[in-house]
Amino acid sequence: MIHIFRSTSSKDVIFFLQKILNSLPKKYQYLSIQLNNEFILGIRKYKDTDENWYGLKLNSLLYKKNCSKGNFLLKKIYIDNQELKIDVSNGIIIRLACSKRSILKINSLQINTKNIERIDYEDSDLLELNNILKGKIVVKETFKINLDNHIYYVIEDLGDGNYISIDKDAKVYKMEHDPYEITLLYPSLDMYIK
């Protein structure tokens, strides 16, 4: 059996993403700005997630340089008889998930995007976050990350897919994707602010 991904190298990731982006509506073509070996360094599986999520290893300097508006999830993209989801943060693809099995085991590039759906993160996530923050700090943009049935709201983007986040109990965490790690920084928001 031949797999699209022979390795987790940037070359395979870029090839795969280029095929996907070419099949999306034209309004998403701007995402292809990140498709180069200097920006995408590879891909790795997230542990402790409900789905088969894979994070892109990104060059943090280029991430900051190429950020734009747009935090959303694209879903109902079908490839190799399974649903593919694409998570976009600040206009940059940061992670992918396949519904049935590992993204690394995709066998073909039969792509169907006729029922594609977009879910924007900004509105509802920001309202939920502001209820937690209670005006103690101002965050203009956020999105939530659900890992192992625990929800985190991003309050600061550190670049390269790393974040400072807060949960519903106002505990503050550092989230790193390479290596994948979530560390409790402060047991309360008040300690983070000081």
Side-chain angles (χ1 to χ4, degrees):
M1 184 176 290
I2 297 172
H3 298 300
I4 301 304
F5 285 90
R6 290 182 210 87
S7 71
T8 57
S9 72
S10 60
K11 180 181 174 185
D12 286 352
V13 176
I14 291 166
F15 173 77
F16 177 74
L17 287 175
Q18 188 64 60
K19 296 295 182 187
I20 299 298
L21 291 178
N22 286 343
S23 70
L24 295 179
K26 287 187 179 183
K27 67 181 178 178
Y28 298 113
Q29 295 305 307
Y30 73 94
L31 295 171
S32 65
I33 192 168
Q34 76 184 90
L35 300 185
N36 62 68
N37 289 327
E38 291 178 12
F39 198 165
I40 295 178
L41 306 176
I43 191 170
R44 69 185 313 266
K45 176 135 177 43
Y46 284 121
K47 299 174 186 171
D48 303 325
T49 60
D50 295 339
E51 297 181 271
N52 291 310
W53 281 105
Y54 286 81
L56 297 184
K57 296 178 186 178
L58 303 172
N59 180 323
S60 61
L61 298 175
L62 292 177
Y63 181 89
K64 291 175 184 175
K65 181 182 175 184
N66 289 294
C67 280
S68 62
K69 292 192 177 186
N71 297 312
F72 55 89
L73 176 73
L74 294 176
K75 62 181 200 170
K76 295 194 177 177
I77 300 166
Y78 291 95
I79 182 169
D80 198 19
N81 295 317
Q82 63 180 321
E83 182 184 11
L84 175 73
K85 296 178 184 176
I86 300 175
D87 205 358
V88 176
S89 173
N90 297 312
I92 304 293
I93 298 171
I94 58 167
R95 62 184 192 150
L96 311 163
C98 283
S99 58
K100 294 182 183 175
R101 63 184 175 275
S102 166
I103 197 169
L104 303 178
K105 294 184 179 175
I106 288 177
N107 299 321
S108 70
L109 284 173
Q110 300 281 332
I111 303 166
N112 179 343
T113 59
K114 68 179 179 182
N115 295 318
I116 191 171
E117 285 185 20
R118 174 180 168 146
I119 299 172
D120 288 296
Y121 291 132
E122 286 95 354
D123 298 334
S124 63
D125 293 347
L126 192 56
L127 289 172
E128 291 172 21
L129 176 61
N130 284 331
N131 286 332
I132 297 167
L133 297 176
K134 298 183 182 354
K136 293 180 180 179
I137 60 173
V138 176
V139 176
K140 294 181 179 178
E141 287 187 0
T142 191
F143 60 94
K144 65 182 169 189
I145 301 170
N146 187 347
L147 294 173
D148 200 22
N149 295 319
H150 194 101
I151 295 175
Y152 303 90
Y153 297 86
V154 172
I155 59 174
E156 184 180 347
D157 187 344
L158 302 175
D160 196 26
N162 301 320
Y163 307 103
I164 301 294
S165 63
I166 189 169
D167 66 9
K168 65 180 176 77
D169 298 320
K171 294 178 183 174
V172 180
Y173 301 85
K174 182 174 184 182
M175 305 179 80
E176 297 178 275
H177 84 283
D178 190 20
Y180 172 76
E181 191 172 27
I182 299 174
T183 308
L184 177 65
L185 293 179
Y186 301 101
S188 72
L189 179 61
D190 293 330
M191 293 178 77
Y192 171 73
I193 295 170
K194 291 182 179 181

